[in-house]
Amino acid sequence: MTSIAQIDPFLDGYFSDETREYGERVGLALLHAAENLEIGFSSRMLPEITLEAKHGSSGYSPSEGLWFRTDIITELAGQYSEHRETLLRYVREIDLFKSKARRLYAEHSEALDRAGAEWGGGWGGHSNPDYGRIVRYGTEHIRAIIAENRKNRPDEAWFYRACSYALDAVDIFGERFRALASERAEACDNADDKALLLRMAKAFETVPKKPAYDFTSAMCSFMLVFSMDGSDSPGRFDQYMYPAYAATGNKEEADDLLDRLWDYFRDRRSWNLCISGSDENGNDETNELSYAVLALARKKRYNTPNLTCRVHRNTPDRLWHEIADTLAVGTGLPALYNDDVVCTALEKIGIPPEDSHDYCMNGCNQIDILGKSHMGLEDGEVMFAKCLEFALHNGADAMTGEQASVKTGDPLTFTTYDRLERAFTDQLEYVTYNACSSANVWQHLRGVFEPHPLRSCLIEGCLEKGRDYRNGGPLYNHGQILAEGIADVGDSLYAVKKLVFDEKKYTMSELIDALNADFVGFGQLRHDFQNCEKFGNDIEAADEITARILNRFFTVLKRHNTYRGGVFTGGCSPFNRVADYGRRTAALPNGKRKGEPLLADCIAATPGRDTNGPTALIKSVLRYHQTDACSGFVFQNKFEKKMFCSEEGKAAWIALAKAYFAAGGQQYTVTVVSPEDLLDAKEHPENHRNLIVRVGGYSDYFVNLEAGLQDNVIERTVLGI
Amino acid sequence: MAIDRKKCVLCGKCTEICLNDANELIGKEMTASQVMAEVMKDKIFYETSGGGLTVTGGEPSCQAAFSLELLTLAKDAGISSAIETCGIGARDFYEKAADLGASFLYDVKCINPVRHRILTGADNAQILSNLCYLMDRGMDLIIRLPMIPGCNDSDADIAALAAFLQEHKCRYRYAQIMPYHALGTGKSEKLGVSAAFVHDNATDAEKNRWQSLFASYGIDVKVSQ
């Protein structure tokens, strides 16, 4: 007879003792999974764990925690009649639990959500646990931390038990891989494969319980815990793996393992790997592994992992040149982050320098502190353009006529420009408040319903406080809300200021009529509004409004606390939602028509409106308070391939990047592509399947983008220096 | 869109009126200090690139006073400056520009004076004399070799250029081939004039031939991308 543990070990573990706390039951589910799940090697023979029951009925994922599919469990109840009653009872229990979760989520600002003004917290996000903790110290070390803290916190005994179960699971998987590697080695005919399997079998005699002693054992330890954690974001890989890399006598073996790992990252779509950086005294931390990572990125040309390179005032020239060489292959990687600005931003929200300098990215551009925080996920997003639409229609959604937001006054009664800008910032504050409170409801829900005992072992603070990773355990628990459509609003406000209030060429009533008519019959008006000075051309009068409204957003955000125990902070990375937001926004005074998909490119200008060249655009975006943005503040340039083909071109680009960073730029993303490539790719996608472009936070294949976004990418001013 | 160029007084009104932006006015009148204010906006970039102001054309020596005023302002502002020139201007202009410490991007199109006159309409004696003057003064010089397929790129032309470069070796920073490109044809169309010379972009084969011919005389030249 097949046992439930064989059918679905998560279910078996979770229901093995229903009197336990929920978090502990999650730990038990992991433990039963470690004992019963099938294990195997990746396509290129690295140890790999996929935490999913074989029928897909349940599993454990980084963004959702323990999950169940009751429809599949119900099917299984039909298939395994001997367990029918038990399985059906489990389904009822799970449904009951889920409905509790739903009840807790209060009905919240649905009108705003529907209007596309904001969203908050619906996404579990990525994280940067310190996988190096197990690689360098072993599970025994973490057990010692548990033992030391649990005696002071008897009320949290269940939490420590949950974490111990998770560590047991890691150890059990390790032991099973030792056995599997020996068994495979015996049957293996290929001499190289056999040697690798034997090395791994030997490594698993030591790891993950004890520290790794060479690069093979470090990789075994890393793969075990990284794949158990859903193969998410490796973080500062070149830092925590370097001691083992440096200690390895056989460089060829080490590079072969890295090559295998890169294929694994691609297969699992692993997220963000970060290299280089500086410590709190400004010392450069680039090492040979940082260069090995860049060399792999050039060789493999995958769009994963999303590669981040930290630069700072002491970044060596060799690294700058290798960055340029890597960008030249056209994957849009690495994205560059400036320690001098990011660390200052983090220190402004109370993170001490020794920790701020351990930042890295998870997912796309979200900033986290490696192994110390739960802040690097998108908690929500605020749509600036929609807030302006509300302000121009006294809180109504101009697409539907519905009163979607608060009333901030009839614009026809506004006698000064300042009054209009205040109506906008009032809308922005209201919508931001909604995004934050919505995010907090979700943070609370996730704290209660998605405990992560494994991550709690890998993130500092959790074991010390006796609190889960999701529940305020980490040292830092700030939130991140993103801003979209910034320059569209700045350009619109500037045009209204100029033409309605300063020059009095048009009345507010004419403008509102034109917007309501989507400019039909108002060609001259639209032409004049469109031809006002725009953000992105280093023209102070036009830039200052755009900068001011975003700076305002940062200030407002920091007033709101997160449920987990930090403050909200802001950033801007558009992902692929920006086209959709444009479609859900009515006509705007910058000349955008109703439903037009094109909107400002992250923190930069509205596509096609920056006509003074790249240096002017850079000067404009430097007007933002970039040290107030604690979530990726994405600035992207797209370059023609040609630019990166000569030493002169590369040197010019390096000088440009250095100037941006020296003057206070935070992030810089570069896409190397020719415009003909893009146009042709739109016409003939079949010929350009491997054409990679950077879309805000990540790189993607151009042909996979929807048409609206393709146009956006094409329209981004193509720069030549 | 049709434009009667004879009646056009360059007032630019048409660009304001047209709702479809069918016509545009390119360029505007500025004083040297206005230009300098624009240049200084990019100061942060000169600091990391070592770049600065390049006075280019048209031909800067045709607006000598204005060009020199710009170079003076650049010197006062502490940024490096350069002049891109065909070399035909008066000696006085080059003397003053050299006094202001400018670098020179200096075109040499053809060594044979007869063929130079045929190709450009002017003799090259003054050009080569100005160049030698600047070399004698030890100025920072980049010699530019515009190469137009079928015009000035015969074996004999290149042999003469190579001999000239050989004679003055070490008196310039480097020499660089500027291959012909057809990017200007759009400009002719916009201006409503027919281009005097139209040819396809120089090919890689042509570029390789030029470079290896120079190399065969022991002259190392770069090729502009």
Side-chain angles (χ1 to χ4, degrees):
Chain A
M1 187 172 101
T2 319
S3 70
I4 292 183
Q6 285 165 314
I7 301 166
D8 184 334
F10 296 96
L11 210 51
D12 186 58
Y14 182 71
F15 283 99
S16 62
D17 185 347
E18 291 170 55
T19 63
R20 309 271 195 121
E21 286 283 343
Y22 177 61
E24 206 177 343
R25 292 173 67 182
V26 174
L28 284 165
L30 284 175
L31 183 59
H32 284 231
E35 285 162 348
N36 295 291
L37 271 188
E38 278 178 27
I39 58 169
F41 292 93
S42 71
S43 61
R44 294 202 53 209
M45 228 167 58
L46 293 176
E48 174 188 9
I49 294 161
T50 308
L51 287 181
E52 188 175 326
K54 63 183 167 191
H55 301 289
S57 48
S58 64
Y60 184 80
S61 85
S63 61
E64 297 166 77
L66 184 66
W67 55 267
F68 295 110
R69 288 272 309 269
T70 46
D71 54 336
I72 298 180
I73 302 172
T74 310
E75 271 175 39
L76 291 173
Q79 210 173 321
Y80 297 96
S81 52
E82 67 274 30
H83 299 302
R84 190 183 145 79
E85 288 313 310
T86 315
L87 289 173
L88 288 179
R89 185 175 74 78
Y90 289 173
V91 169
R92 285 194 301 275
E93 295 283 338
I94 293 163
D95 280 341
L96 187 68
F97 186 73
K98 279 186 180 167
S99 72
K100 267 194 231 164
R102 270 196 298 273
R103 269 208 306 280
L104 257 175
Y105 183 68
E107 287 218 352
H108 173 84
S109 303
E110 279 193 0
L112 273 178
D113 256 342
R114 277 205 306 277
E118 55 94 1
W119 64 264
W123 156 239
H126 306 281
S127 180
N128 286 115
D130 185 5
Y131 303 115
R133 218 178 188 187
I134 291 197
V135 174
R136 283 181 302 182
Y137 306 113
T139 53
E140 281 182 359
H141 168 78
I142 301 171
R143 286 182 199 277
I145 299 175
I146 291 177
E148 197 183 311
N149 286 284
R150 76 188 309 170
K151 56 180 186 250
N152 302 326
R153 301 186 182 278
D155 290 350
E156 269 74 49
W158 65 270
F159 168 74
Y160 291 109
R161 281 197 300 272
C163 292
S164 301
Y165 291 142
L167 293 176
D168 290 347
V170 174
D171 288 346
I172 290 167
F173 274 126
E175 176 51 30
R176 289 180 64 200
F177 268 110
R178 188 197 57 74
L180 185 68
S182 319
E183 189 187 303
R184 291 273 176 91
E186 213 145 290
C188 183
D189 296 331
N190 179 309
D192 289 345
D193 287 354
K194 191 181 183 111
L196 174 59
L197 285 164
L198 285 173
R199 259 164 47 222
M200 291 198 291
K202 179 166 171 288
F204 278 119
E205 287 172 12
T206 305
V207 297
K209 286 185 179 143
K210 292 178 191 303
Y213 53 86
D214 70 353
F215 200 64
T216 307
S217 57
M219 279 290 291
C220 287
S221 200
F222 169 79
M223 280 304 299
L224 206 60
V225 66
F226 180 69
S227 64
M228 266 185 86
D229 195 42
S231 306
D232 191 18
S233 290
R236 303 192 73 193
F237 183 83
D238 68 332
Q239 302 300 310
Y240 61 76
M241 292 297 273
Y242 182 66
Y245 186 76
T248 286
N250 193 331
K251 207 46 203 316
E252 231 168 83
E253 267 177 22
D255 289 337
D256 170 63
L257 286 167
L258 285 174
D259 195 283
R260 292 165 189 269
L261 180 62
W262 243 251
D263 287 350
Y264 177 81
F265 285 151
R266 179 201 52 189
D267 294 345
R268 291 289 167 274
R269 215 189 193 306
S270 297
W271 284 94
N272 211 310
L273 190 145
C274 176
I275 56 167
S276 190
S278 60
D279 68 12
E280 66 272 28
N281 297 314
N283 297 312
D284 177 57
E285 294 176 318
T286 314
N287 57 45
E288 281 311 307
L289 187 51
S290 325
Y291 291 116
V293 165
L294 284 177
L296 269 170
R298 288 194 292 273
K299 177 180 162 196
K300 297 287 193 177
R301 302 187 181 202
Y302 300 154
N303 61 351
T304 53
N306 201 337
L307 195 58
T308 296
C309 184
R310 285 174 46 180
V311 295
H312 52 92
R313 66 180 85 89
N314 294 324
T315 295
D317 280 348
R318 178 182 165 199
L319 186 64
W320 274 111
H321 281 95
E322 293 214 11
I323 290 168
D325 288 340
T326 311
L327 287 170
V329 305
T331 51
L333 300 172
L336 304 184
Y337 274 81
N338 181 9
D339 286 7
D340 300 328
V341 171
V342 175
C343 296
T344 307
L346 294 170
E347 285 152 29
K348 278 167 108 171
I349 53 170
I351 297 175
E354 60 272 26
D355 286 348
S356 72
H357 284 77
D358 237 343
Y359 81 89
C360 52
M361 307 294 145
N362 61 58
C364 303
N365 307 287
Q366 284 60 49
I367 298 171
D368 235 328
I369 311 295
L370 181 74
K372 285 178 180 162
S373 70
H374 181 16
M375 50 189 255
L377 57 83
E378 310 157 62
D379 279 296
E381 201 163 24
V382 167
M383 180 59 203
F384 275 42
K386 201 72 192 180
C387 295
L388 178 62
E389 186 187 311
F390 290 158
L392 290 166
H393 298 86
N394 201 4
D397 178 349
M399 299 293 273
T400 62
E402 183 194 359
Q403 187 72 37
S405 184
V406 286
K407 293 190 173 179
T408 46
D410 178 354
L412 298 182
T413 65
F414 297 168
T415 51
T416 63
Y417 166 72
D418 288 347
R419 180 66 188 84
L420 172 67
E421 191 175 312
R422 205 176 74 229
F424 166 74
T425 47
D426 284 349
Q427 289 290 350
L428 181 68
E429 288 187 24
Y430 176 72
V431 171
T432 303
Y433 165 77
N434 275 284
C436 292
S437 45
S438 178
N440 276 339
V441 173
W442 277 98
Q443 288 192 6
H444 183 181
L445 277 176
R446 292 185 182 282
V448 174
F449 293 106
E450 289 174 12
H452 266 281
L454 179 59
R455 279 194 177 169
S456 301
C457 292
L458 302 174
I459 294 184
E460 199 178 330
C462 300
L463 298 177
E464 289 78 0
K465 295 183 203 170
R467 292 180 78 92
D468 190 82
Y469 151 78
R470 284 282 199 212
N471 211 8
L475 292 183
Y476 312 110
N477 295 284
H478 304 294
Q480 306 188 0
I481 305 276
L482 307 177
E484 306 300 354
I486 309 159
D488 303 275
V489 173
D491 288 349
S492 296
L493 286 173
Y494 176 73
V496 180
K497 177 178 188 297
K498 186 177 172 181
L499 296 176
V500 176
F501 293 101
D502 293 350
E503 295 178 3
K504 302 198 190 319
K505 191 166 179 181
Y506 295 99
T507 64
M508 183 63 92
S509 156
E510 284 172 307
L511 171 64
I512 300 289
D513 288 347
L515 294 175
N516 288 340
D518 198 19
F519 297 113
V520 173
F522 292 89
Q524 182 65 47
L525 179 145
R526 178 169 187 245
H527 182 253
D528 289 344
F529 273 79
Q530 247 178 339
N531 283 328
C532 285
E533 293 82 354
K534 299 290 183 225
F535 176 82
N537 296 291
D538 196 16
I539 299 167
E540 193 177 353
D543 290 351
E544 69 177 2
I545 294 178
T546 302
R548 188 165 64 227
I549 56 175
L550 187 65
N551 295 341
R552 176 83 192 154
F553 173 67
F554 291 150
T555 308
V556 170
L557 271 177
K558 285 187 190 175
R559 290 185 193 149
H560 297 291
N561 291 329
T562 65
Y563 166 81
R564 292 190 299 260
V567 294
F568 280 100
T569 60
C572 183
S573 42
F575 304 102
N576 48 9
R577 297 186 288 263
V578 66
D580 186 49
Y581 286 139
R583 275 194 286 275
R584 291 158 69 182
T585 307
L588 292 178
N590 68 341
K592 180 194 114 64
R593 286 188 192 278
K594 180 178 173 179
E596 220 171 38
L598 298 179
L599 277 166
D601 185 5
C602 305
I603 65 168
T606 302
R609 300 291 167 83
D610 53 320
T611 51
N612 275 1
T615 57
L617 179 61
I618 284 177
K619 291 284 299 298
S620 288
V621 302
L622 285 168
R623 288 198 164 96
Y624 296 120
H625 294 170
Q626 299 213 12
T627 55
D628 280 329
C630 297
S631 173
F633 202 59
V634 176
F635 176 60
Q636 41 191 357
N637 277 173
K638 181 172 59 178
F639 290 99
E640 288 186 83
K641 172 95 183 149
K642 218 167 120 180
M643 162 99 196
F644 283 78
C645 290
S646 68
E647 288 309 311
E648 288 90 344
K650 282 184 216 166
W653 174 79
I654 290 170
L656 187 76
K658 281 184 175 177
Y660 179 56
F661 286 150
Q666 187 190 95
Q667 196 271 10
Y668 191 27
T669 301
V670 164
T671 298
V672 175
V673 76
S674 77
E676 297 82 25
D677 283 347
L678 294 176
L679 287 168
D680 195 54
K682 203 182 170 196
E683 287 295 312
H684 308 286
E686 67 279 8
N687 299 333
H688 294 273
R689 297 240 171 262
N690 59 355
L691 173 57
I692 294 172
V693 292
R694 186 101 179 149
V695 190
Y698 59 97
S699 293
D700 206 345
Y701 293 108
F702 182 82
V703 296
N704 289 350
L705 306 178
E706 45 137 356
L709 195 61
Q710 286 186 342
D711 287 342
N712 189 316
V713 170
I714 294 170
E715 262 209 43
R716 264 191 240 163
T717 316
V718 177
L719 305 169
I721 291 176
Chain B
M1 184 182 65
I3 301 172
D4 187 345
R5 298 259 170 205
K6 280 177 207 145
K7 289 185 182 158
C8 176
V9 293
L10 297 175
C11 71
K13 286 248 165 62
C14 55
T15 65
E16 288 164 27
I17 288 164
C18 177
L19 296 187
N20 297 315
D21 295 327
N23 205 7
E24 60 176 335
L25 191 67
I26 294 175
K28 57 183 165 192
E29 281 196 26
M30 293 170 89
T31 64
S33 44
Q34 281 170 336
V35 172
M36 208 52 209
E38 198 61 38
V39 169
M40 291 311 285
K41 281 185 174 178
D42 282 352
K43 188 161 191 289
I44 60 166
F45 303 102
Y46 312 142
E47 281 158 9
T48 54
S49 66
L53 164 79
T54 301
V55 187
T56 176
E59 172 50 48
S61 60
C62 293
Q63 299 175 58
F66 180 78
S67 300
L68 292 169
E69 198 182 341
L70 272 180
L71 294 181
T72 310
L73 290 172
K75 192 176 180 208
D76 292 347
I79 61 164
S80 65
S81 61
I83 281 204
E84 198 171 20
T85 180
C86 70
I88 197 81
R91 171 65 53 84
D92 181 55
F93 172 73
Y94 295 98
E95 269 178 36
K96 286 182 176 148
D99 289 345
L100 291 166
S103 299
F104 294 84
L105 303 159
Y106 203 107
D107 283 3
V108 178
K109 300 190 177 82
C110 185
I111 297 295
N112 180 322
V114 181
R115 296 200 12 83
H116 195 281
R117 179 173 284 282
I118 294 168
L119 287 168
T120 68
D123 192 89
N124 64 1
Q126 175 75 8
I127 294 170
L128 295 176
S129 155
N130 284 337
L131 177 56
C132 290
Y133 165 78
L134 292 171
M135 289 197 284
D136 289 344
R137 280 193 61 173
M139 299 312 295
D140 180 37
L141 267 165
I142 294 166
I143 294 183
R144 295 225 157 135
L145 310 167
M147 285 284 150
I148 295 84
C151 293
N152 65 344
D153 69 335
S154 71
D155 290 359
D157 284 330
I158 290 177
L161 281 167
F164 178 83
L165 293 175
Q166 180 65 42
E167 186 188 337
H168 297 286
K169 221 171 187 175
C170 305
R171 303 225 296 159
Y172 55 88
R173 184 151 35 128
Y174 61 83
Q176 183 178 33
I177 289 174
M178 311 296 286
Y180 173 82
H181 61 71
L183 296 177
T185 46
K187 209 192 257 183
S188 315
E189 275 166 32
K190 277 188 183 172
L191 290 170
V193 298
S194 59
F197 177 87
V198 180
H199 192 283
D200 289 338
N201 286 334
T203 63
D204 283 345
E206 282 166 328
K207 292 176 194 170
N208 289 338
R209 177 184 153 255
W210 300 329
Q211 200 170 21
S212 48
L213 260 176
F214 277 107
S216 71
Y217 296 107
I219 303 293
D220 190 22
V221 294
K222 298 187 182 201
V223 178
S224 171
Q225 291 301 315

